Amino acid sequence: MSAKLDPQAATLNQVIETANPALLSMLSERGRKIYFPKMGILAQSAEARGKEINATIGTALDENAAPLCLPSIAAQMNLPKGATFPYAPSPGLPEIREQWGKMLLQKNPGLAGKLISQPVVSCALTHGLSTAAYLFCDEGDVLLTPDLYWENYDLIFGVSFGAEIATYPAFNAQGGFNLEALRQAMAARKEQKLIISLNFPNNPAGYTLLEQEVPALKQLLLAEAAQGRQLVVLLDDAYFGLVFEKGVYTQSMFVDLCDAHPNILAVKLDGPTKEDYVWGFRVGFLTFGSRGATPAVYQALEGKCAGAIRASISNASMPAQSMLLAAWKNPAYAAEKQQAYELLQSRYTEIKRILAAHPEYQTAFEPLPFNSGYFMCVRLKNADPEKVRQTLLTKHSTGVINLCGILRIAFSATPTAKLEKLFANLFAACQGE
Ligand SMILES: Cc1ncc(COP(=O)(O)O)c(C=O)c1O
């Protein structure tokens, strides 16, 4: 990499290194070089704020200093122009960052009293993952993930940032999270730094850790960190909150890892995309937590994050951030969200009923463990998954996804009344009918 280390980046690095040298060495080369410019255009623009004549702003204003916008576009929005048309700051609107931070605490009561960063706004989780890769992933670094993972990890970590994606079997023989496989996968690696992705509820499997599985996973990562391994743990919480069974962990493992050990940096990636059913809004958050990290360290990480955002998308959508902020203040929001949750839960319950009511299905396919999220998967016992997928399309007008030799069924997108037929079609297609 050719760019020299800017003094502003050097200052951030020094703050991080003084508090915890391990955190500095977890950063990628890009991550060490990036900074959010405190001088230059942004600083000069900030200095001119409120002046009688402010000719610093890189947007257009009308003769009354309101955003110069086209009425045909403004007519689509019922938010004030100022909450719609201007740029949002690179790390996100201060109000949405604060509000998401408060909501994180409500949704994860275990965070109470723990020191974590403020959430930084990304252009939804994909960009959050990409920003995390920018900050922590060098060419040849290893990303450890269960073998059931969102395929876009290949493009983000593998193709774009040159990581080696190393997998381990997601489930053990008892149908639980395969802790032993993760332990072996870590032991097999010599690298001092590992990037570990934990995605619960999982895409594609729809599995979240049981409460009883959490302490052992934490213990495993702690033991690894205690031996000097540096772990950047990405908590991909895209489907957070959609847990449908008792005994399943309802908090993010960020709660357990954000203050676990100085050699563990927990990076929480989450957002309203799936939590609030706003897939096209493109708003997400990155939040950092590490034992012993001071507010100054978190500010340095947030600054680096903001720099990576400024260098890629500049800033996330202003109308989307404003709409979300307004919606979260609406007294109807909580009940509406509960209603959407109950709809997805009722589909989950219906699938469990269908599988129990049709023991004959077990001759053709078995479900992988699932208890949460948008999806469930089936492993076929005799038939070829791609052939079955084609048969479903051509003979039964039914679409499912074939990945890694299993079929993924998105019950999030299937009306409840069609679920019975979906599984009957699948059974028939497995017989070649
Ligand atoms: C596990 C996982 N992480 C991240 C994402 C990306 O979410 P977003 O649409 O917010 O970028 C998805 C989307 O399908 C996902 O399944």
Side-chain angles (χ1 to χ4, degrees):
M1 282 186 108
S2 54
K4 284 220 188 82
L5 191 70
D6 186 279
Q8 297 179 77
T11 306
L12 298 180
N13 293 350
Q14 207 178 353
V15 170
I16 295 170
E17 191 176 24
T18 307
N20 180 359
L23 287 185
L24 186 71
S25 64
M26 286 185 216
L27 286 168
S28 64
E29 203 184 328
R30 266 191 202 86
R32 261 167 247 151
K33 286 188 173 160
I34 197 72
Y35 59 95
F36 188 71
K38 288 262 158 62
M39 306 162 211
I41 295 175
L42 296 172
Q44 294 177 31
S45 207
E47 280 170 2
R49 204 170 291 143
K51 302 292 175 206
E52 183 195 348
I53 300 172
N54 182 357
T56 66
I57 306 172
T59 58
L61 302 179
D62 66 16
E63 301 298 22
N64 301 311
L68 178 65
C69 57
L70 307 186
S72 55
I73 298 176
Q76 314 301 320
M77 310 281 174
N78 61 8
L79 284 165
K81 281 183 191 170
T84 308
F85 289 92
Y87 289 125
S90 288
L93 282 176
E95 300 86 340
I96 202 172
R97 298 181 63 195
E98 197 186 321
Q99 181 59 24
W100 191 257
K102 281 188 194 153
M103 288 160 75
L104 275 186
L105 197 61
Q106 284 159 9
K107 294 185 251 189
N108 299 275
L111 283 176
K114 299 195 177 191
L115 196 58
I116 57 173
S117 80
Q118 255 218 317
V120 174
V121 179
S122 62
C123 186
L125 272 88
T126 307
H127 178 245
L129 286 161
S130 182
T131 303
Y134 185 114
L135 293 177
F136 302 109
C137 186
D138 279 317
E139 185 99 19
D141 279 353
V142 177
L143 172 75
L144 263 185
T145 168
D147 53 3
L148 298 170
Y149 64 92
W150 185 40
E151 67 173 7
N152 207 7
Y153 282 19
D154 289 332
L155 292 187
I156 299 171
F157 292 97
V159 176
S160 303
F161 288 93
E164 179 192 339
I165 298 186
T167 65
Y168 57 93
F171 297 115
N172 60 25
Q174 293 75 43
F177 179 73
N178 204 336
L179 201 67
E180 179 53 23
L182 172 58
R183 195 188 61 72
Q184 287 176 14
M186 290 195 293
R189 308 301 317 201
K190 299 277 167 287
E191 292 80 2
Q192 208 206 350
K193 174 179 99 179
L194 291 176
I195 305 170
I196 295 188
S197 161
L198 296 175
N199 165 225
F200 304 117
N202 174 264
N203 175 7
Y207 187 77
T208 295
L209 293 177
L210 306 182
E211 279 162 6
Q212 73 223 33
E213 291 178 300
V214 172
L217 176 53
K218 177 175 175 180
Q219 215 39 55
L220 176 65
L221 297 176
L222 259 178
E224 197 71 18
Q227 283 170 25
R229 186 94 79 165
Q230 293 164 357
L231 302 175
V232 178
V233 187
L234 307 179
L235 292 310
D236 180 341
D237 291 341
Y239 301 88
F240 183 85
L242 294 171
V243 162
F244 305 130
E245 291 276 2
K246 289 220 160 65
V248 177
Y249 198 47
T250 52
Q251 300 194 83
S252 167
M253 269 214 71
F254 182 73
V255 169
D256 306 272
L257 298 176
C258 69
D259 62 345
H261 195 281
N263 277 343
I264 297 179
L265 174 65
V267 185
K268 186 177 192 328
L269 302 139
D270 57 15
T273 309
K274 328 267 177 181
E275 287 194 41
D276 289 331
Y277 311 91
V278 290
W279 309 273
F281 276 32
R282 313 315 296 149
V283 171
F285 298 89
L286 294 105
T287 311
F288 303 99
S290 185
R291 187 176 188 90
T294 57
V297 168
Y298 287 134
Q299 275 163 24
L301 288 172
E302 290 165 33
K304 283 184 174 285
C305 205
I309 288 166
R310 181 149 170 87
S312 53
I313 57 157
S314 192
N315 48 76
S317 159
M318 177 70 150
Q321 292 182 58
S322 297
M323 278 194 266
L324 286 161
L325 264 174
W328 293 335
K329 283 186 199 141
N330 189 320
Y333 165 76
E336 289 168 2
K337 192 165 164 168
Q338 178 64 18
Q339 220 177 359
Y341 165 86
E342 283 169 14
L343 175 66
L344 295 190
Q345 187 180 40
S346 67
R347 291 189 194 152
Y348 166 85
T349 309
E350 172 66 357
I351 293 176
K352 290 271 163 168
R353 186 199 65 74
I354 292 166
L355 294 176
H358 291 277
E360 72 279 15
Y361 288 174
Q362 286 168 28
T363 59
F365 55 80
E366 60 178 355
L368 298 189
F370 71 112
N371 52 27
S372 54
Y374 272 26
F375 312 107
M376 59 88 64
C377 291
V378 295
R379 195 185 301 285
L380 307 188
K381 295 204 167 152
N382 308 302
D384 173 65
E386 182 52 22
K387 275 201 194 127
V388 169
R389 188 182 76 84
Q390 293 293 342
T391 308
L392 280 169
L393 282 174
T394 50
K395 294 198 184 159
H396 300 279
S397 190
T398 298
V400 297
I401 298 284
N402 167 25
L403 42 86
C404 332
I406 55 171
L407 296 181
R408 187 190 78 177
I409 295 169
F411 57 85
S412 57
T414 312
T416 316
K418 298 258 188 230
L419 288 169
E420 179 95 52
K421 193 166 175 200
L422 189 161
F423 283 95
N425 291 348
L426 175 62
F427 186 57
C430 287
Q431 331 292 319
E433 292 164 10

